[in-house]
């Protein structure tokens, strides 16, 4: 069965510090996809990245970077020089099985609440 | 109007009431979703609709009834709810995937905060 573990429930950092959010996943499939979403206080989840299991290259987008390591089943997310606007709950998710109705089953972690203190 | 909108944003209802949540997407997507977000639990997918199909999570009680009249609108009809149904209900939409594609990212609305008294 699929499982996503975000062991850090809450993290607080001071503005401009770097912070890494951990994500560990479990799946029996060789083809799967990993996602990160951000949920600001306004409520809507915002898509950040999708990575497939065959692409282990790390990705950088501005202050955001992602480290995918199949050997440890991890897909960690780092924010460099954090800002107050980064304060949100961040969700890691795993998708591997086509479940019908044009969708794949998406298993979310419980989320990590990040607070960036000015 | 952009993205995914949900109304109402907040709803308080008694256990004997009947109410409906509404979701509308303006992104041209063909798949729409209802999720339940409870405190300290992972997001739980309740229902998925596309043009041809509906998929539901078998653990969702029958007091939740979805309706998808077209690809832009999605409703969740609520009746005789229980206090444990209090949660944030999120609607999302995406392009329609199939077995030969990858899962597309989902776009979420701001949610309806439901309180059952």
């Amino acid at each position: 069965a699929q499982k996503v573990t975000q062991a850090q429930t809450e993290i607080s950092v001071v503005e401009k510090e770097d912070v890494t959010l951990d994500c560990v996943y479990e799946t029996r499939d060789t083809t799967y996809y990993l996602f990160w979403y951000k949920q600001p206080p306004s409520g809507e989840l915002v898509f950040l990245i999708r990575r497939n299991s065959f692409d282990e290259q790390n990705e950088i987008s501005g202050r955001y970077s992602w480290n995918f390591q199949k050997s440890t089943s991890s897909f960690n997310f780092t924010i460099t020089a954090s800002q107050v606007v980064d304060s949100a709950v961040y969700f890691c998710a795993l998708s591997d099985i086509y479940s019908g109705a044009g969708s794949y089953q998406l298993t979310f972690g419980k989320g990590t609440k990040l607070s960036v203190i000015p | 109007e952009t993205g995914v909108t949900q109304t109402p944003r907040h709803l308080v209802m008694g256990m004997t009431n009947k109410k409906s949540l509404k979701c509308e997407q303006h992104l041209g997507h063909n798949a729409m979703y209802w999720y339940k977000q409870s405190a300290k639990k992972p997001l739980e997918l309740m229902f998925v609709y596309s043009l041809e199909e509906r998929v539901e999570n078998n653990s969702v009680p029958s007091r939740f009834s979805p309706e998808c009249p077209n690809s832009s609108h999605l409703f969740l009809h609520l009746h005789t709810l229980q206090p444990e149904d209090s949660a944030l209900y999120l609607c999302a939409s995406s392009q329609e995937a199939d077995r030969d594609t990858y899962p597309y990212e989902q776009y979420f609305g701001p949610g309806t905060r439901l309180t059952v008294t």
Side-chain angles (χ1 to χ4, degrees), chain A residues 37-55:
Chain A
Y37 283 86
K38 172 183 180 181
Q39 186 177 35
S42 52
E44 76 283 5
L45 275 75
V46 177
F47 167 78
L48 296 177
I49 190 172
R50 175 187 54 235
R51 175 52 53 90
N52 75 54
S53 53
F54 297 110
D55 182 2

Side-chain angles (χ1 to χ4, degrees), chain B residues 54-100:
Chain B
R54 164 179 145 180
V55 173
E56 56 190 87
N57 181 337
N58 291 330
S59 67
V60 175
S62 59
R63 54 186 182 267
F64 294 91
S65 174
E67 179 189 1
C68 190
N70 54 60
S71 60
S72 299
H73 294 86
L74 185 65
F75 295 89
L76 187 63
H77 304 300
L78 317 172
H79 64 96
T80 60
L81 295 191
Q82 303 298 310
E84 61 264 28
D85 297 322
S86 298
L88 181 67
Y89 288 85
L90 291 161
C91 174
S93 70
S94 73
Q95 292 183 53
E96 188 178 15
D98 59 41
R99 295 179 193 278
D100 298 323

